[in-house]
Amino acid sequence: NAGVMQNPRHLVRRRGQEARLRCSPMKGHSHVYWYRQLPEEGLKFMVYLQKENIIDESGMPKERFSAEFPKEGPSILRIQQVVRGDSAAYFCATHRGPKSADTQYFGPGTRLTVL
Amino acid sequence: QKEVEQNSGPLSVPEGAIASLNCTYSDRGSQSFFWYRQYSGKSPELIMSIYSNGDKEDGRFTAQLNKASQYVSLLIRDSQPSDSATYLCAVNAGGTSYGKLTFGQGTILTVHP
């Protein structure tokens, strides 16, 4: 996992609540990707952010999901009004700069369970 | 047709054998190809990357790429029980300069003693 931090590691929410997932990149990394892994499926790209900018959000559901990567602090993936289908593992991956895009380091993931 | 498709598993091989994992992709613009290993409950770990047609060897692992056939494979020689995991094929999205990856659904490999 090479220093990428995600918290919480496990998150339980009831339907209708909000979930906030945090990703702290490795030192010096300013590029963040979020991926979702549904049970028994591969990872699906959700969003790509650089500091303070959303570059590609083509994989984000149109409603309830948002992401940010502020100038200071971790990247946050926010899910409003969670539903059971949001239960999944959410991974972030980071890299240093544009020339190192092929060397992404994954965090340990947040396992979200919606009751 | 799935964008990245892996051979259906699960795959079971005896210890010491060669495990062969296959992957096809649909995006002809893709230029970067990766194999990740994921243990149960853990995050993906990059084990091989390949960018040019042909073979690339790293220890017991060999990745093979054929862009004309849109085909990527991973061979694991002298398989060990510790190789038992899910193997994910990933392809960089063509037309992008950043690391947006499209993953296959994974192949579960079991190496039995």
Side-chain angles (χ1 to χ4, degrees):
Chain A
N1 297 328
V4 181
M5 309 273 289
Q6 287 189 250
N7 66 81
R9 297 289 302 276
H10 300 273
L11 182 61
V12 179
R13 285 287 179 265
R14 297 190 179 279
R15 282 178 295 170
Q17 292 184 318
E18 178 180 288
R20 282 188 180 234
L21 289 62
R22 295 175 187 78
C23 171
S24 297
M26 289 177 64
K27 185 176 181 181
H29 286 200
S30 58
H31 299 250
V32 174
Y33 305 78
W34 284 93
Y35 293 89
R36 176 167 67 174
Q37 187 171 35
L38 295 167
E40 309 302 325
E41 293 188 16
L43 285 84
K44 302 292 185 189
F45 168 81
M46 300 182 75
V47 62
Y48 164 51
L49 310 100
Q50 294 178 24
K51 278 288 187 181
E52 301 184 89
N53 293 301
I54 296 175
I55 308 301
D56 183 341
E57 57 181 347
S58 58
M60 289 278 270
K62 293 286 187 283
E63 298 177 347
R64 302 186 298 108
F65 285 72
S66 62
E68 63 177 11
F69 190 14
K71 185 177 181 180
E72 301 291 336
S75 175
I76 295 175
L77 180 67
R78 181 184 180 201
I79 312 173
Q80 295 179 289
Q81 299 177 327
V82 296
V83 300
R84 289 213 173 114
D86 297 332
S87 295
Y90 293 82
F91 294 97
C92 71
T94 78
H95 63 83
R96 183 177 297 275
K99 293 186 177 180
S100 59
D102 285 346
T103 308
Q104 297 182 30
Y105 295 89
F106 277 81
T110 295
R111 272 82 181 163
L112 172 65
T113 301
V114 180
L115 301 177
Chain B
Q1 181 190 5
K2 294 181 182 177
E3 293 182 59
V4 178
E5 193 152 3
Q6 296 183 233
N7 54 322
S8 60
L11 178 64
S12 181
V13 300
E15 185 174 357
I18 296 175
S20 177
L21 304 162
N22 303 314
C23 173
T24 57
Y25 61 95
S26 61
D27 186 349
R28 285 196 171 273
S30 297
Q31 297 296 322
S32 306
F33 307 87
F34 308 91
W35 284 99
Y36 284 82
R37 177 175 61 197
Q38 186 176 28
Y39 293 111
S40 181
K42 302 296 184 182
S43 59
E45 173 192 10
L46 179 66
I47 54 173
M48 288 287 286
S49 59
I50 187 166
Y51 308 98
S52 304
N53 282 330
D55 295 359
K56 179 182 178 183
E57 187 174 320
D58 184 1
R60 295 185 296 110
F61 299 96
T62 299
Q64 299 173 317
L65 173 62
N66 184 324
K67 290 185 180 180
S69 301
Q70 296 174 253
Y71 174 86
V72 191
S73 68
L74 179 70
L75 298 177
I76 306 174
R77 291 182 300 282
D78 188 24
S79 296
Q80 301 297 308
S82 59
D83 295 327
S84 298
T86 298
Y87 288 80
L88 301 168
C89 172
V91 174
N92 183 280
T96 64
S97 60
Y98 46 91
K100 176 181 178 180
L101 298 177
T102 301
F103 285 84
Q105 77 277 21
T107 299
I108 298 173
L109 172 65
T110 301
V111 181
H112 52 87

